[in-house]
Amino acid sequence: MSGCFRCNLTIPERQSHIAVKKGGKCARSDGSAEFIESNTRTTPGDMTERGCTYAGCRGVVGGPVKDVIQLTHGPVGCAFFSWGYRPHVADTDFHMKYTFISDMNETNIVFGGEKRLLQSIVEAAQEFPDAQGVFVYNTCSTALIGDDGRDVAKQAEALIGKPVVFFECEGFRGVSQSAGHHVGNETIFKHLVGSEEPVGDTSTAINIIGDYNIKNDLRTFEPLFEELGVRILTRFTGNVSVNDLKSMHRARLNVVHCQRSATYIAEMMHDKYGTPYIDVTLFGIQAMSAALRKVAAFFGLEAKAEEIIARELGRMQSQLDYYRHRLSGKRIFIYQGAPRAWHWIEMFRELGMETIAAATTFGHQDDYEKIFERIQEGGLVIDNPNVLELEEVLETYKPDLFVSGNKEKYVAYKLGVPFVNGHTYDTGPYAGFSGMLNFARDIDRALTSPVWKLLHTNARPVPEQLHALSDAT
Ligand code: CFM
């Protein structure tokens, strides 16, 4: 079926982004022997769900830093998604509660917005003296008129006496939000990392790289690493202070969770400071156990790791068996930004469920390689799907569950497909051992909700049904 998406008859370019796993390999739906196409520009006319570079930088990498003024240099519309979208929570709520914008209007666009930006930074810093710095994010319009935000940031820094970091993350720079992750990593590395020395012993210090503390994910695994005997120096960037980012270069090991948005900084630290890094998955039982074992092996703490793993598994075993029994055999369609699509195929497998289709918004080749390794034979894989494709998969493959984000939630509901929010979580957290049970519980609730029994009508009747309806009245 992947060769003939009905909705793509007018956009044949989409076929190189759609494939199935055949004989253990990627079989593209356009018949080409090449690997699935990814991380390329979206075809004009294709209603992509991708975000922009600014979104990836402001929303994903910079936004979770809890004690800086998060200031967008651009028109007010660019700040629209500052609230209520990504729950990268912390132990304080300044970064979630307030958003700042230079609020560029037509006159500023014509005459330049540098003065306005400088004034905005200074005003915001005066208004919030407890903030430890300012992160300024560039947008399309201010980049196009040539505002020199870098220079303004320098001037502002001298005036307020705190770091002012300018992110050149104008929306049009890349093909998706993925470019914004890269800009975020590079800018933080260049401007902050290494500018301060940490306090205390760093002989067992690790950084958690690429975890943003979505609905307190960090709480599920940080205590386990600490129990192991390591010190968590810095989290890049969940529940983190800008000051912690300055001293993260003294970690002995970087532990990289999201390998799409944050491997960049691990690489840069490796090149400049020689810090080794390991890739881990902190979702699911096997993966979480493996992560503890890998970190333990690095520091020679293997026995403690086994003790922790045995205790945690013992604690959750009966609940896990309960959910496994209920969820076994269910068929999943997962569509996430990128890594979660492959992180979670294993988690579904541990719960006895099978992934019949997997898609990502902005995955690169390495993400798809991992998806093809993990998805079952015959599984469908889609890069950068549009909503019509998603609908077609839901209607044709009829998965038991769709795991995706807010944008797709109501499409699933309208089509009568149970849904779990994999981006911002239904309840969460979903990481670590305890998060696995939350995940299983949310899936179980979605699948067994009594609402599905009430669905007698087709919310999107086909034309013949519409005729039948009008005949009846
Ligand atoms: Fe990394 Fe993320 Fe993800 Fe991501 Fe995202 Fe996210 Fe995601 Mo939504 S950093 S790539 S840009 S794991 S916000 S916390 S869930 S799309 S798969």
Side-chain angles (χ1 to χ4, degrees):
M1 108 114 212
S2 65
C4 56
F5 265 73
R6 287 190 309 275
C7 60
N8 284 339
L9 290 175
T10 52
I11 325 179
E13 292 91 335
R14 286 292 308 147
Q15 295 307 316
S16 55
H17 298 266
I18 299 170
V20 289
K21 182 168 172 177
K22 218 180 190 177
K25 288 204 188 112
C26 164
R28 240 160 72 161
S29 69
D30 60 0
S32 157
E34 304 269 305
F35 196 57
I36 189 168
E37 186 177 343
S38 64
N39 196 33
T40 50
R41 259 177 214 292
T42 302
T43 307
D46 173 13
M47 288 297 284
T48 175
E49 295 203 325
R50 279 173 165 177
C52 64
T53 301
Y54 161 77
C57 190
R58 161 70 176 91
V60 176
V61 174
V65 178
K66 64 186 174 186
D67 53 4
V68 294
I69 286 161
Q70 302 275 355
L71 198 156
T72 296
H73 184 37
V76 72
C78 292
F80 182 76
F81 272 113
S82 295
W83 288 288
Y85 67 116
R86 187 176 186 253
H88 40 229
V89 295
D91 46 22
T92 55
D93 64 356
F94 178 66
H95 68 305
M96 298 286 282
K97 201 165 161 186
Y98 297 102
T99 197
F100 301 82
I101 179 125
S102 57
D103 189 20
M104 294 283 287
N105 59 30
E106 264 178 48
T107 319
N108 309 131
I109 294 292
V110 173
F111 295 104
E114 291 172 6
K115 273 192 200 139
R116 194 177 176 89
L117 175 60
L118 184 63
Q119 189 196 350
S120 307
I121 299 171
V122 173
E123 243 177 56
Q126 279 168 352
E127 205 62 40
F128 294 91
D130 290 340
Q132 299 297 306
V134 186
F135 280 6
V136 182
Y137 303 93
N138 211 15
T139 58
C140 296
S141 54
T142 45
L144 284 171
I145 61 169
D147 273 4
D148 189 350
R150 246 198 281 184
D151 184 56
V152 174
K154 250 190 230 156
Q155 294 177 43
E157 206 163 64
L159 286 171
I160 68 169
K162 289 174 185 172
V164 179
V165 182
F166 182 66
F167 294 86
E168 294 178 54
C169 56
E170 40 278 3
F172 54 75
R173 274 189 88 156
V175 302
S176 72
Q177 55 265 62
S178 176
H181 306 152
H182 202 157
V183 174
N185 278 240
E186 279 188 336
T187 311
I188 288 175
F189 183 74
K190 219 162 102 194
H191 291 271
L192 295 168
V193 178
S195 60
E196 244 175 45
E197 289 302 315
V199 180
D201 179 18
T202 53
S203 59
T204 61
I206 64 167
N207 293 321
I208 303 285
I209 302 286
D211 198 286
Y212 305 91
N213 203 28
I214 303 300
K215 294 237 173 109
N216 281 316
D217 264 350
L218 286 165
R219 270 192 211 161
T220 67
F221 57 78
E222 274 197 4
L224 303 181
F225 283 118
E226 278 163 356
E227 193 185 343
L228 195 61
V230 301
R231 171 182 175 193
I232 297 170
L233 189 61
T234 298
R235 298 110 183 125
F236 181 89
T237 54
N239 190 18
V240 79
S241 157
V242 63
N243 295 319
D244 299 335
L245 296 169
K246 294 178 186 169
S247 56
M248 65 190 286
H249 60 299
R250 290 296 175 221
R252 297 298 154 101
L253 178 69
N254 279 326
V255 178
V256 185
H257 189 201
C258 173
Q259 292 146 45
R260 177 72 286 120
S261 68
T263 303
Y264 311 109
I265 199 158
E267 289 273 356
M268 288 184 275
M269 285 180 66
H270 177 260
D271 292 350
K272 185 163 176 188
Y273 301 102
T275 321
Y277 72 87
I278 50 170
D279 291 335
V280 295
T281 293
L282 301 169
F283 295 109
I285 300 164
Q286 291 302 327
M288 184 64 223
S289 307
L292 284 167
R293 286 191 178 113
K294 270 192 191 176
V295 174
F298 185 85
F299 291 103
L301 302 163
E302 289 91 337
K304 189 69 190 169
E306 294 310 321
E307 190 190 303
I308 296 169
I309 294 164
R311 183 195 66 210
E312 293 296 315
L313 294 190
R315 260 186 204 162
M316 66 190 294
Q317 199 57 54
S318 64
Q319 287 184 72
L320 197 61
D321 291 344
Y322 168 81
Y323 285 121
R324 238 183 228 147
H325 177 70
R326 290 170 67 89
L327 304 179
S328 199
K330 299 293 182 196
R331 298 153 65 253
I332 313 282
F333 173 25
I334 180 164
Y335 166 39
Q336 293 286 139
R340 285 182 188 186
W342 51 263
H343 282 308
W344 288 0
I345 294 176
E346 294 303 321
M347 195 146 80
F348 295 134
R349 195 167 281 141
E350 287 180 330
L351 289 166
M353 300 184 286
E354 36 182 78
T355 306
I356 56 161
T360 90
T361 314
F362 50 77
H364 296 206
Q365 181 164 337
D366 55 322
D367 293 296
Y368 287 104
E369 281 165 1
K370 292 185 185 107
I371 288 175
F372 275 101
E373 263 165 36
R374 294 166 190 216
I375 202 167
Q376 64 185 53
E377 182 69 12
L380 173 71
V381 181
I382 311 178
D383 171 60
N384 182 19
N386 59 47
V387 75
L388 297 176
E389 288 168 0
L390 298 174
E391 278 189 37
E392 206 167 318
V393 176
L394 293 175
E395 285 174 327
T396 319
Y397 279 66
K398 298 193 177 13
D400 297 307
L401 179 77
F402 186 27
V403 176
S404 195
N406 277 329
K407 289 198 288 268
E408 300 80 32
K409 178 173 175 176
Y410 298 101
V411 176
Y413 286 162
K414 282 177 192 168
L415 296 172
V417 178
F419 178 89
V420 165
N421 192 326
H423 291 251
T424 56
Y425 302 166
D426 281 7
T427 52
Y430 288 166
F433 296 114
S434 54
M436 169 94 171
L437 291 177
N438 295 338
F439 193 50
R441 179 201 54 213
D442 285 353
I443 292 174
D444 190 46
R445 275 187 193 160
L447 291 173
T448 55
S449 165
V451 76
W452 306 122
K453 293 195 193 109
L454 304 173
L455 274 187
H456 300 301
T457 44
N458 182 353
R460 305 179 74 241
V462 291
E464 305 87 75
Q465 285 170 317
L466 279 176
H467 279 305
L469 282 176
S470 58
D471 287 351
T473 50

